[in-house]
């Protein structure tokens, strides 16, 4: 984490807090625009009327989704290369899921042991969780390797179509007071932010991010749902994020997506991603990066190794 | 073995007094479900009382016993866990019998013929996703009249457009036979709103079709096949943006509607990559044509026999459901290996329920989310 001011918010649909977040960042001038990246909303990215009304100041939509669509049309070679990388990543993810399922089963299976074996089971469980952590690390390294290889080969920022949009974005961002990154489809959002290098275009600009926006900006993107209609619902490392948000695993809609009343599952998530704090973001939360640590500006809870939700300290 | 639910009312000696019966009835939920047994009760004047149900494998009516010297009647039967059974009571007064809903049981299931009482076995629960969720954005229903050359007339179709429908994106299409009944009796509209809201299925366009003569038109009828395969999708594509790939095209139906779905897909392999077949009336014969059912099934049997002889590969992914309390369970189970051998991806789910709309409702989440998986893992709003 650097010195750039960053705020992480809970989902905004029912408890909008962006205006308060901008105020907390010292963006007091209502005439200075804020930039918005809502590429996660895909073809609906321009529908930011509610946010505009809420923040009561000019909102400049960066149109990241449609810019990348244009780039793909103008540079089909780059598009094909991006798709080929995505195909490889999908295959890698499937292989990872296969190994992960067994590793998670092993850790969960150790939760129900007879009392007489409890002391031994605790050590076995620690090792089983460490095995998952190793799996996560390996997967993340491979994903980063893929990105690095892609970048070295294709140098997207040097390709004319990308370079032109980067320049336009740099100019758009220059007068803005902050960059807001909204939720939506996390992979689409992340890929497009990465392709255009949006964060690098405004290295000093304060950032407010929520839901998938916060996930995409974190160090690693964790996908989660404890009760999907199909499959086991194993929490999985999906991608290397943009790394702006370190030390946090943002878990938007945690109340709906996670069985927070199941201590075993809560504990497993907390221990697996430690020392990062797994923050349950259900709406109304505001966390701020304050020099060297995250501080909760409103009530916020983290998943604790004890299996409970605890106040974010 | 647990005590009989009527307890002391069944004692030897003088019959229980009216106030004792009233006290026993008060505050109890009926039928009384205890483990894998259910006890039904009826309180009122009658010369006989019967449980009339549609469970294949049991006598279709089962006699209640009277508590001697009273007008309290009771019946205890096996009810395996997870069961859901619709029933009525046949209450006779001399030679006159009336089929009524259970006055002691408020649980009802509606269908095109009215409503039945419902007993829910232990472990059964009504899924939460069938109830309106105030967080879920609502889809919109649009009426469309589709000119049909094959039928020689216009056909009315209701079209469900998902919440936040946009012309700028393309949508998968699912054609639902008996669609308006699915909406009325299986909460389809609410289910779609909820599953889309939960990201368990993608935003989709759903065409809800109905037939004025479904027994004939759904039984592998040339005209119907042409309508759902060509005329209807073309009319919909003229008006709404649809994904034009087989994995984004589905047919769905229950009973004869399942027959219509499979028959249409079989006639045009590769057009519909997704099939949801519920309690299909897939009657067949292994020798001869005597199927033991009404003549309405003749064309069904001809179709299923022909399909079994030469199934081809009508679709890519097929979700089949059937209740174990239906006579159709045998036919559906028999069809599964055949479907699997075609190379299609097939999933079969049975449940302890009958040939009814709530059974079909309860399987919608699993079926739709498997056929059309939504962006659940990827979207965090």
């Amino acid at each position: 984490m650097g010195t750039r001011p960053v705020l992480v918010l809970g989902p905004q649909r029912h408890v909008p807090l962006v205006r308060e977040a901008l105020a907390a960042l010292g963006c007091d001038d209502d005439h200075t625009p804020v930039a918005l990246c809502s590429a996660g909303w895909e073809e609906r990215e321009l529908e930011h009327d509610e946010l505009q009304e809420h923040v009561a100041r000019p909102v400049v939509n960066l149109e990241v989704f449609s810019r990348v669509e244009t780039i793909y049309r103008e540079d089909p070679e780059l598009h094909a290369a991006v798709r080929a990388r995505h195909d490889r990543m999908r295959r890698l993810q499937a292989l990872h899921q296969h190994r992960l399922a067994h590793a998670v089963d092993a850790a969960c299976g150790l939760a129900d042991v007879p009392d007489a074996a409890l002391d031994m089971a605790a050590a076995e469980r620690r090792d089983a969780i460490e095995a998952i952590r190793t799996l996560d690390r390996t997967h993340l390294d491979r994903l980063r390797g893929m990105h690095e290889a892609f970048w070295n080969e294709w140098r997207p920022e040097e390709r004319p179509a990308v370079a032109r949009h980067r320049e336009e974005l740099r100019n758009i961002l220059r007068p803005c007071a902050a960059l807001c990154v909204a939720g939506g489809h996390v992979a689409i959002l992340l890929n497009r932010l990465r392709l255009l290098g949006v964060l690098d275009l405004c290295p000093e600009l304060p950032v407010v991010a929520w839901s998938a926006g916060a996930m995409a900006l974190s160090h690693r993107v964790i996908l989660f749902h404890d009760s999907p209609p199909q499959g086991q619902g194993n929490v999985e490392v999906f991608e290397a994020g943009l790394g702006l948000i370190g030390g946090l695993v943002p878990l938007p809609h945690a109340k709906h997506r996670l069985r927070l009343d199941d201590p075993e599952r809560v504990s497993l998530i907390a221990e697996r991603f430690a020392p990062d704090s797994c923050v349950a973001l259900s709406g109304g939360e505001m966390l701020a990066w304050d020099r060297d640590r995250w501080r909760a500006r409103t009530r916020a809870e983290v998943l604790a190794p004890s299996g409970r939700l605890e106040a974010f300290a | 073995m647990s005590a009989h639910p009527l307890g002391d009312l069944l004692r030897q000696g003088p019959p229980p007094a009216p106030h004792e019966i009233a006290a026993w009835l008060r505050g109890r939920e009926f039928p009384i479900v205890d483990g894998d047994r259910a006890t039904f009760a009826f309180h009122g004047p009658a010369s006989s009382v019967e449980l009339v149900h549609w469970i294949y494998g049991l006598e279709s009516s089962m006699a209640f016993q009277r508590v001697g010297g009273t007008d309290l009647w009771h019946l205890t039967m096996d009810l395996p866990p997870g069961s859901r059974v619709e029933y009525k009571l046949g209450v006779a007064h001399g030679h006159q019998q009336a089929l009524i809903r259970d006055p002691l049981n408020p649980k009802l299931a509606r269908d095109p013929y009215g409503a039945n009482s419902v007993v829910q076995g232990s472990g059964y629960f009504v899924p939460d996703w069938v109830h309106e969720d105030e967080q879920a954005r609502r889809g919109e229903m649009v009426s469309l009249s589709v000119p049909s050359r094959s039928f020689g007339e216009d056909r009315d179709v209701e079209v469900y457009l998902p919440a936040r429908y946009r012309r700028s994106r393309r949508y998968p299409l699912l054609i639902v036979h008996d669609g308006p009944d699915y909406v009325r009796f299986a909460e389809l509209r609410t289910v779609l709103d909820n599953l889309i809201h939960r990201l368990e299925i993608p935003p989709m366009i759903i065409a809800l079709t109905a037939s004025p003569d479904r027994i004939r038109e759904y039984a592998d009828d040339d005209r119907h096949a042409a309508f759902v395969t060509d005329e209807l999708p073309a009319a919909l594509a003229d008006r709404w943006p649809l994904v034009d790939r087989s994995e984004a095209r589905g047919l769905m139906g229950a009973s004869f509607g399942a027959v219509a779905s499979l028959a249409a897909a079989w006639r045009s392999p590769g057009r519909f990559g997704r099939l949801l077949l519920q309690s299909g009336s897939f009657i067949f014969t292994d020798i001869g044509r005597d199927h033991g059912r009404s003549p309405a099934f003749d064309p069904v049997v001809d179709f299923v026999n022909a399909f079994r002889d030469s199934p081809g590969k009508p679709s890519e992914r097929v979700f089949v459901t059937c209740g174990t309390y239906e006579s159709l369970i045998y036919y559906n189970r028999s069809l599964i290996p055949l479907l699997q051998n075609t190379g299609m991806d097939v999933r079969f789910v049975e449940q302890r329920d009958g040939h009814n709309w709530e059974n079909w409702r309860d399987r919608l989440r699993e079926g739709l989310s498997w056929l059309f998986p939504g962006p659940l893992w990827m979207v965090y709003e």
Side-chain angles (χ1 to χ4, degrees), chain A residues 11 13-14 43-44 47 183-187 211-212 215 223-225 227-230 233-234 238 253 257, chain B residues 134-137 164 166 168-169 171 197-200 347 365-367 369-370 375-381:
Chain A
R13 182 178 169 197
H14 298 295
E43 78 284 351
R44 291 188 289 108
E47 298 175 18
H185 195 294
V186 67
S211 294
M215 295 166 71
L223 304 184
F224 58 99
H225 200 298
S227 310
Q230 310 288 337
N234 288 328
F238 170 70
H253 304 282
R257 300 180 76 105
Chain B
E134 61 179 27
Q135 305 282 322
R137 298 176 177 96
R164 301 198 289 188
R166 298 289 181 275
S168 52
R169 78 183 290 172
Y171 294 88
H197 168 68
R198 293 174 176 212
L199 309 166
E200 295 180 1
R347 190 174 285 188
R365 180 190 186 218
E366 189 175 1
S369 67
W370 185 66
L376 177 73
W377 286 91
M378 288 295 175
V379 174
Y380 301 78
E381 189 180 330

Side-chain angles (χ1 to χ4, degrees), chain B residues 220 259 262 266 281-291 297-312 330-331 335 338:
Chain B
D220 188 32
V259 175
L262 181 60
W266 183 57
S281 305
F282 300 125
I283 308 298
F284 59 81
T285 58
D286 285 308
I287 183 168
R289 290 186 75 239
D290 183 8
H291 48 77
F297 281 86
D298 289 349
V300 173
V301 172
D302 289 343
F303 157 63
V304 180
N305 284 352
F307 176 72
R308 294 175 80 218
D309 282 344
S310 181
Y330 160 76
Y331 299 98
L335 199 63
L338 184 81

Side-chain angles (χ1 to χ4, degrees), chain A residues 77-198:
Chain A
E77 196 183 28
L78 178 66
H79 190 197
V82 169
R83 289 170 96 154
R85 185 193 62 187
H86 290 167
D87 286 345
R88 277 179 59 75
M89 289 171 69
R90 263 194 290 275
R91 286 197 290 274
L92 179 67
Q93 196 67 21
L95 296 172
H96 170 67
Q97 285 167 344
H98 182 75
R99 292 180 67 195
L100 181 66
H102 293 283
V104 170
D105 276 352
C108 292
L110 292 165
D112 299 317
V113 294
D115 287 350
L118 271 183
D119 55 336
M120 289 183 287
E124 294 290 338
R125 184 175 180 277
R126 269 197 306 277
D127 288 351
I129 292 173
E130 193 50 46
I132 301 175
R133 289 165 59 89
T134 303
L135 201 55
D136 289 344
R137 271 195 302 273
T138 308
H139 185 51
L140 205 55
D141 287 346
R142 286 184 178 139
L143 290 164
R144 287 187 174 129
M146 281 185 180
H147 287 304
E148 197 178 324
F150 175 85
W151 236 256
N152 288 339
E153 183 177 355
W154 292 95
R155 302 195 175 280
E157 72 280 11
E158 295 173 9
R159 299 180 78 88
V162 178
R164 194 182 76 243
H165 283 283
R166 278 172 58 86
E167 194 50 35
E168 284 180 21
L169 287 173
R170 195 190 311 274
N171 291 331
I172 293 170
L173 285 160
R174 194 168 291 127
C176 291
L179 168 65
C180 296
V181 185
H185 195 294
V186 67
I188 289 172
L189 174 64
L190 173 60
N191 290 331
R192 291 176 188 229
L193 279 171
R194 180 181 274 137
L195 185 72
L196 286 168
V198 174

Side-chain angles (χ1 to χ4, degrees), chain B residues 234-268:
Chain B
L236 296 167
D238 278 348
R239 189 152 171 190
W240 293 289
L242 302 175
V243 181
D244 190 15
R245 293 196 305 271
S246 61
E247 70 267 27
R249 288 282 161 99
L251 289 173
M252 163 176 153
S255 196
F256 265 55
V259 175
S261 300
L262 181 60
W266 183 57
R267 284 162 172 261
S268 301

